[in-house]
Amino acid sequence: MSDTVFGLDTFGDVTVDENGERTPSHQVIRDVISQAVLADQVGLHSIGLGEHHRDDYAISAPDMVLAGIAGQTSSIRLGTAVTVLSSDDPVRVYERFATLDAVSNGRAEITLGRGSFTESFPLFGYDLSQYETLFNEKLDLLARLLDEKPVSWQGTHRAPLHGVNVYPKTASGRIPTWIGVGGSPESVIRSVRYGIPMMLAIIGGDPARFVPYVDLYHRASDELEVERMPLGAHSPGHVAETDDLAREQLFPHFKANRDRIGAERGWPETTRDDFESEAESGSLYVGSPETVARRVATTVRTLGLDRFDLKYSNGPMPHAQLMRSIELYGTQVIPMVNDILAS
């Protein structure tokens, strides 16, 4: 068996029922809790919930949903995918997740990021012109808070702190934390400089194109004399009994999600050829358990990953199909991947 960690991620995409009717957000949140409970039952290591402030995603307060999951699970780690640090307060982020860590008996973790959407900036009164400054300063503060020692800090976006202790402290002395990286050298170096492991968000194209970033990650660790840290990656996918069924189930929802975002950002519509290309050789892990296992194992080996998270919700796919995908991922895909990696 390999030592690789396998998790799941969801943004709480607003689903449709089997008749194509939109599911209310409050039910989507309850369904996400059910999905996490199933993930725990089939032995998955972690689940990460995204933070969004839009009507196509139901989860705007991941820590609240994770607290609900904590009470119904026993082993699965409870994290984010991602916490939009730029428009949050680092002190409150620490406090909320230290509290979640206590509630869950030490299972909380955080993945920090800028977020791929910007709705949170005007919602919470932040100026997008300060995009870089906000993230850099808030990361600097949170990195100090994670040490759970008195913090002195000064920046431009909030009042300074002078020898402040922040509570509650965690039982282990630190909340496990990752930084989500989309593929810029500066982000890779930042991860190493702060001693916070990197989670690659690989959402399109051949995963092998990230090898230079992995090399930079390890080289920077050596040059900055930082102990080498774990490396993770997050990519979308869906598992069903056969390749054809998995693709037929996923395509309309994958397209609906991509086309909606694309209409906002000026992307062309997603075609079936685009979808098939990603499924064959890109970063879309869709198919039977055997197909998905083979492709996940290849990516883990190519990049030298310590962790792989499958983003199992992709657009308005019905809850029942998401549940079956989770079941197959945990009971069939992961054992196959471990066998491949051990061979």
Side-chain angles (χ1 to χ4, degrees):
M1 178 174 291
S2 78
D3 295 326
T4 311
V5 170
F6 295 100
L8 290 170
D9 290 336
T10 178
F11 295 167
D13 306 55
V14 172
T15 56
V16 294
D17 64 21
E18 299 297 344
N19 297 318
E21 296 295 322
R22 180 183 172 97
T23 307
S25 293
H26 53 80
Q27 183 59 50
V28 173
I29 290 171
R30 291 194 285 268
D31 288 343
V32 167
I33 293 174
S34 298
Q35 292 156 19
V37 170
L38 176 60
D40 186 54
Q41 291 169 348
V42 298
L44 289 164
H45 297 119
S46 65
I47 187 160
L49 308 186
E51 173 198 340
H52 293 86
H53 305 272
R54 306 162 47 91
D55 72 344
D56 46 348
Y57 300 113
I59 299 174
S60 59
D63 49 303
M64 293 294 293
V65 184
L66 292 167
I69 294 169
Q72 299 186 44
T73 56
S74 59
S75 301
I76 196 165
R77 295 200 62 81
L78 307 170
T80 54
V82 299
T83 294
V84 185
L85 185 61
S86 306
S87 57
D88 211 330
D89 180 80
V91 173
R92 290 298 283 153
V93 170
Y94 170 82
E95 290 176 337
R96 296 197 309 264
F97 283 87
T99 301
L100 174 64
D101 199 65
V103 168
S104 64
N105 196 25
R107 290 186 282 138
E109 61 182 23
I110 313 169
T111 300
L112 303 169
R114 301 165 185 265
S116 60
F117 297 93
T118 59
E119 287 85 357
S120 63
F121 284 80
L123 186 64
F124 299 119
Y126 291 102
D127 189 338
L128 271 171
S129 67
Q130 294 184 296
Y131 188 82
E132 290 288 333
T133 300
L134 286 167
F135 185 76
N136 292 337
E137 289 193 357
K138 292 185 178 193
L139 178 60
D140 187 62
L141 175 53
L142 185 59
R144 301 184 195 203
L145 292 164
L146 290 171
D147 289 334
E148 301 192 10
K149 298 175 181 176
V151 171
S152 295
W153 180 91
Q154 187 166 348
T156 62
H157 73 273
R158 57 159 294 156
L161 300 176
H162 303 290
V164 173
N165 264 301
V166 179
Y167 302 99
K169 308 297 185 183
T170 64
S172 67
R174 187 176 181 88
I175 305 167
T177 304
W178 298 74
I179 295 181
V181 173
S184 75
E186 296 78 13
S187 297
V188 177
I189 300 296
R190 182 188 294 115
S191 165
V192 175
R193 188 161 66 258
Y194 283 106
I196 300 176
M198 178 169 71
M199 177 69 71
L200 292 167
I202 307 177
I203 58 173
D206 185 348
R209 68 191 176 91
F210 281 82
V211 167
Y213 297 103
V214 174
D215 292 342
L216 176 61
Y217 184 59
H218 295 313
R219 191 169 71 249
S221 295
D222 295 340
E223 293 180 3
L224 295 174
E225 298 182 342
V226 174
E227 185 177 345
R228 287 204 173 187
M229 300 179 293
L231 173 66
H234 143 117
S235 292
H238 175 64
V239 192
E241 282 76 6
T242 67
D243 289 349
D244 287 345
L245 179 61
R247 294 187 186 193
E248 289 308 313
Q249 286 180 342
L250 178 59
F251 175 67
H253 306 299
F254 181 87
K255 176 177 170 58
N257 175 256
R258 290 293 179 97
D259 287 354
R260 172 166 180 159
I261 297 169
E264 300 169 1
R265 301 185 181 183
W267 301 344
E269 286 195 6
T270 299
T271 67
R272 185 67 189 235
D273 286 345
D274 296 332
F275 173 80
E276 295 292 343
S277 176
E278 281 295 325
E280 290 292 336
S281 58
S283 298
L284 185 59
Y285 298 79
V286 55
S288 67
E290 295 83 0
T291 295
V292 174
R294 186 175 62 252
R295 297 202 61 232
V296 169
T298 298
T299 297
V300 169
R301 279 180 168 162
T302 300
L303 299 179
L305 299 178
D306 301 285
R307 174 170 173 172
F308 180 88
D309 287 354
L310 183 77
K311 181 182 177 290
Y312 69 93
S313 63
N314 300 280
M317 177 174 279
H319 170 59
Q321 292 178 7
L322 298 175
M323 292 287 275
R324 183 60 175 153
S325 182
I326 292 167
E327 181 183 6
L328 291 171
Y329 185 63
T331 61
Q332 296 189 33
V333 173
I334 300 314
M336 289 182 195
V337 175
N338 283 328
D339 287 345
I340 294 169
L341 294 176
S343 65

